[in-house]
Amino acid sequence: MMKWASGGPMDNSTSLGMFPVEDSPLPPSQLPLLVNPWDIVLCSSGTLIACENALVVLVIWQNPALRAPMFLLIGSLALADLLAGLGLVLHFTCAYLLRSESAQLLTVGLVVASFSASVFSLLAITIDRYLSLYYALTYNSERTAAFTYTMLLLLWGLSLCLGLLPVTGVNCLDEQATCSVVRPLTKNNIAVLSISFLLLFGLMLQLYVQICKIVMRHAHQIALQHHFLAATPHYVTTRKGVSTLAIILGTFAACWMPFTVYSLIADYTYPPLYTYATLVPATYNSVINPVIYAFRNQEIQKALWLVCCGCIPTSVAHRARTPSDV
């Protein structure tokens, strides 16, 4: 296992592509180029993430009909994941081609800000879904649009601040003992990010529990009004909607929880293999997000068919919205 630069050849912290340091009089730009296979995996993930989410951003940007608060939040999520994918690719490029630490600091800041915006956008989408059910009669008001713009402003502002920390000096380049499992982020820096994630996950879990209660209550009311039995199609689709919510939350936790917990308990002395093994699945969340939040949406499906084929299949055009689309 290659030891990556963090002040000495015995450092174990993962630097996402930092060039190796040897006891050599040669400047970094002339050191032999040794590529970590895990960095190739991250770069490949970044390329897939960028391409997939660029399609979502393009569709929402070009379609004037997709301007409701829900689509703005989906667009924010896609934009954040797009920037995260570009950040992973640029970081690989800076590490192995430019081989500049200052450039890598900028790309690390971009990756931190983008993934933070992605997680915050997921929370904003959850809040929006809860409000659309709890305030169903007044959801499509100007007040809702103003609240959505406020959420977007806050989440991107906070994400930008988090991304600027390593760029503005909150890094461990000059003090190896403060490094976290991901260089150049400090232990305190990544602890703040991890604890914030756990708090956001707890809030999302609570909101999805409330959403499930509302959906089941509405389904029960409709069943009573129409004298439905438990085995009717409406009950089945309602159960499918609740299952969809469980899949959404479970996927989010499965992708991010391993890295979050590991980064809290580990430090730069731990083997890089463990860091990569938990970090790579976290990036896969940005691959899955468009599938869950964009490509399953009926309006975005129509826009995609128009962009790709110039027509909308009848099965897509007349598909009714069900609780599973929640």
Side-chain angles (χ1 to χ4, degrees):
M1 172 61 68
M2 188 68 198
K3 308 301 182 184
W4 299 103
S6 184
M10 293 305 295
D11 173 44
N12 286 335
S13 63
T14 303
S15 57
L16 298 180
M18 298 292 286
F19 45 81
V21 173
E22 307 288 347
D23 295 329
S24 170
L26 294 176
S29 60
Q30 298 181 23
L31 289 174
L33 184 61
L34 301 174
V35 180
N36 188 333
W38 284 100
D39 288 327
I40 297 177
V41 174
L42 285 174
C43 183
S44 301
S45 297
T47 303
L48 177 60
I49 291 168
C51 294
E52 192 178 14
N53 286 279
L55 179 61
V56 178
V57 172
L58 178 64
V59 167
I60 294 178
W61 177 267
Q62 288 189 340
N63 195 327
L66 303 179
R67 293 296 181 269
M70 173 180 63
F71 296 115
L72 293 178
L73 295 174
I74 292 176
S76 172
L77 175 63
L79 178 60
D81 288 335
L82 168 61
L83 293 176
L86 292 176
L88 292 173
V89 175
L90 289 175
H91 192 80
F92 181 88
T93 302
C94 292
Y96 291 107
L97 298 181
L98 298 180
R99 311 181 79 176
S100 165
E101 282 199 345
S102 58
Q104 288 182 71
L105 276 178
L106 292 175
T107 56
V108 167
L110 174 60
V111 170
V112 171
S114 300
F115 278 123
S116 298
S118 177
V119 174
F120 287 140
S121 294
L122 290 174
L123 174 63
I125 290 174
T126 307
I127 294 174
D128 177 74
R129 287 179 168 181
Y130 171 74
L131 294 178
S132 67
L133 292 173
Y134 193 82
Y135 299 103
L137 297 179
T138 59
Y139 170 73
N140 293 317
S141 64
E142 293 183 0
R143 184 177 181 181
T144 302
F147 180 72
T148 300
Y149 285 117
T150 301
M151 283 198 299
L152 290 173
L153 183 63
L154 289 176
L155 75 87
W156 280 99
L158 182 56
S159 300
L160 180 61
C161 292
L162 292 174
L164 286 175
L165 287 178
V167 180
T168 55
V170 185
N171 57 65
C172 64
L173 293 181
D174 298 326
E175 195 171 352
Q176 176 183 340
T178 63
C179 281
S180 66
V181 293
V182 178
R183 185 178 184 266
L185 299 181
T186 65
K187 181 67 175 177
N188 291 336
N189 191 339
I190 208 163
V192 169
L193 294 174
S194 299
I195 293 174
S196 299
F197 168 84
L198 293 175
L199 293 175
L200 292 177
F201 178 76
L203 180 56
M204 290 176 62
L205 179 61
Q206 177 63 25
L207 287 172
Y208 272 124
V209 169
Q210 297 302 318
I211 289 174
C212 287
K213 290 181 179 180
I214 294 174
V215 170
M216 295 301 293
R217 185 169 65 246
H218 287 178
H220 181 67
Q221 291 173 348
I222 294 175
L224 291 178
Q225 292 174 2
H226 295 83
H227 304 288
F228 283 172
L229 298 177
T232 59
H234 188 86
Y235 180 78
V236 173
T237 55
T238 300
R239 287 186 58 186
K240 185 179 178 182
V242 174
S243 300
T244 300
L245 295 180
I247 293 173
I248 290 173
L249 201 60
T251 301
F252 179 63
C255 290
W256 277 106
M257 197 62 72
F259 177 72
T260 300
V261 175
Y262 176 74
S263 62
L264 281 174
I265 63 177
D267 57 29
Y268 72 97
T269 62
Y270 281 59
L273 175 63
Y274 300 158
T275 303
Y276 281 111
T278 55
L279 181 60
V280 170
T283 65
Y284 290 162
N285 186 240
S286 295
V287 177
I288 300 172
N289 282 338
V291 178
I292 294 178
Y293 295 95
F295 298 146
R296 293 177 61 255
N297 183 275
Q298 184 178 357
E299 299 304 320
I300 293 180
Q301 284 181 12
K302 293 178 181 178
L304 281 172
W305 277 104
L306 285 175
V307 169
C308 298
C309 304
C311 63
I312 303 176
T314 304
S315 59
V316 175
H318 299 291
R319 183 175 71 88
R321 181 176 173 85
T322 68
S324 62
D325 296 327
V326 71

